[in-house]
Amino acid sequence: MGLITDLKDSIRRVTDGLFSATEPKRIGIYGPPNAGKTTLANRIARDWTGDAVGPESRIPHETRRARRKENVEIERNGRTVTIDIVDTPGVTTKVDYTEFLEHDMEKDDAVRRSREATEGVAEAMHWLREDVDGVIYVLDSTKDPISQVNTMLIGIIESQDLPVLIFANKTDLDDSNVQRIVNAYPQHQVVPLSALEGDNMDEVYGKIAEYFA
Amino acid sequence: MPEATPTDGPEPGDDGVQIDLVSGERMDGLTSMEKIRLILDGVRDGNIVILEQGLSPDEESKLIEVTMTEISPDEFNGIEIETYPQSGSSDGGFLGKLMGRSSGGSKKLTVIGPANRIETLHKDETLISALVSRR
């Protein structure tokens, strides 16, 4: 009995090794709405594959479906990591269609957008529980990082023992405050960047290669 | 005798705010979905629900997911939820995990209300200050 169990364990270790060497890790890009997740996903995808992931917008909830860009091969400091980037809708606990009316949207469009947004958030939560191997958590460094959504999501990610990098985005803006994010989440690696301007992307790719290899 | 539910008893007046303080002991006997139902049923009635011991990270994840499926224009905009932020390293440590204590802020007092009626004014590691509007 013990011999069979040992044999099964050995086979599993070998097959696990084979899969981990060939199958790309699915890295979810999470964060609150308008943190710059799609801008980052597009920056990474364009830098390494030449294609974009999806449209960017200043209107919240532009991304209302999780989008996956497969087989993005990132090479840094002698390390190569192949990942699938999963750009997810911004997570929130509330969606009010009247907020979209402020962006010159008709009521029918605003209601439709809010309905799609709620579906997208539910989908993002499902991906987080079931389908990602690691997380890039994107925060707008001009905003207070200790929001309830951030606290809850980082707690959920920690509880699943997923590797996580926190990206302090929008460092090109005058009121960016990266230290506030470092102080809020001292247990995690925080990397400053501007996905829009492409600032500090060398360190970004170095950390991705290091954390998700 | 049927067990009392948080919404039993006299109805609050039109300008009143009902607050349900739910003990950890009461929540311990419920499944994850029963907890989420208890919270959302109360919040959708316009109540403020205060949990003595909060939810686990997995339950918080499901609460967000179920809340999203129930949002309806002009009827229910979702929830406002507040717990104290974690201080310092929050992974609970090796012993915490070994003892089954999950990380991520469970066992912390949690305030949940309808998004259109509760607004957080201030939050730090020791204080949550919220403004609750009337109906």
Side-chain angles (χ1 to χ4, degrees), chain A residues 125 128-129 149 151-162, chain B residues 56-62 64 86 103-104:
Chain A
M125 298 313 297
L128 184 56
R129 284 204 307 275
V149 162
T151 308
M152 278 201 303
L153 271 181
I154 288 175
I156 292 164
I157 293 161
E158 288 171 349
S159 74
Q160 307 221 51
D161 284 332
L162 292 170
Chain B
S56 72
D58 192 56
E59 288 164 348
E60 288 178 338
S61 165
K62 287 174 183 158
I64 295 173
Q86 301 153 18
S103 62

Side-chain angles (χ1 to χ4, degrees), chain A residues 133-147:
Chain A
D133 303 309
V135 172
I136 291 171
Y137 199 83
V138 183
L139 288 169
D140 178 343
S141 63
T142 69
K143 296 194 172 154
D144 181 2
I146 309 182
S147 74

Side-chain angles (χ1 to χ4, degrees), chain A residues 178-194:
Chain A
V178 176
Q179 192 57 44
R180 197 164 48 169
I181 296 174
V182 173
N183 294 343
Y185 302 104
Q187 69 275 33
H188 293 297
Q189 178 80 51
V190 176
V191 185
L193 79 153
S194 166

Side-chain angles (χ1 to χ4, degrees), chain A:
Chain A
M1 190 71 180
L3 187 63
I4 292 170
T5 307
D6 288 348
L7 191 60
K8 279 182 181 169
D9 283 348
S10 298
I11 291 168
R12 192 171 58 240
R13 276 197 297 275
V14 169
T15 53
D16 284 352
L18 283 173
F19 282 122
S20 65
T22 56
E23 288 196 355
K25 302 258 176 64
R26 277 193 296 267
I27 307 302
I29 300 182
Y30 279 84
N34 272 13
K37 297 178 292 300
T38 302
T39 306
L40 173 68
N42 283 341
R43 168 72 59 181
I44 296 172
R46 283 198 187 104
D47 281 354
W48 298 96
T49 71
D51 297 328
V53 173
E56 303 158 22
S57 168
R58 287 179 178 276
I59 306 174
H61 300 291
E62 178 66 23
T63 304
R64 300 185 294 281
R65 284 282 177 275
R67 297 194 197 97
R68 179 150 58 125
K69 182 73 181 170
E70 294 179 286
N71 295 314
V72 178
E73 193 173 293
I74 294 173
E75 194 180 337
R76 266 295 180 279
N77 306 325
R79 287 172 183 266
T80 301
V81 59
T82 305
I83 59 173
D84 289 354
I85 299 170
V86 184
D87 181 28
T88 68
V91 174
T92 180
T93 59
K94 56 192 171 189
V95 178
D96 183 354
Y97 80 90
T98 59
E99 288 178 17
F100 299 128
L101 298 177
E102 295 163 13
H103 295 276
D104 293 331
M105 220 176 270
E106 295 296 323
K107 183 178 175 184
D108 285 352
D109 289 339
V111 168
R112 181 171 46 79
R113 192 182 182 95
S114 73
R115 190 177 60 247
E116 290 172 357
T118 59
E119 290 168 1
V121 174
E123 191 183 325
M125 298 313 297
H126 194 82
W127 271 84
L128 184 56
R129 284 204 307 275
E130 307 282 341
D131 294 318
V132 296
D133 303 309
V135 172
I136 291 171
Y137 199 83
V138 183
L139 288 169
D140 178 343
S141 63
T142 69
K143 296 194 172 154
D144 181 2
I146 309 182
S147 74
Q148 183 61 27
V149 162
N150 292 335
T151 308
M152 278 201 303
L153 271 181
I154 288 175
I156 292 164
I157 293 161
E158 288 171 349
S159 74
Q160 307 221 51
D161 284 332
L162 292 170
V164 57
L165 281 171
I166 295 180
F167 284 1
N169 194 21
K170 306 194 184 183
T171 55
D172 54 304
L173 299 181
D174 288 342
D175 45 356
S176 166
N177 187 342
V178 176
Q179 192 57 44
R180 197 164 48 169
I181 296 174
V182 173
N183 294 343
Y185 302 104
Q187 69 275 33
H188 293 297
Q189 178 80 51
V190 176
V191 185
L193 79 153
S194 166
L196 185 66
E197 300 296 332
D199 296 341
N200 204 35
M201 294 308 290
D202 275 345
E203 186 182 359
V204 164
Y205 294 133
K207 292 295 179 191
I208 289 174
E210 181 186 337
Y211 268 64
F212 303 127

Side-chain angles (χ1 to χ4, degrees), chain B residues 85-99:
Chain B
Q86 301 153 18
S87 55
S89 176
S90 64
D91 64 7
F94 173 73
L95 271 178
K97 283 179 181 164
L98 201 65
M99 300 296 285

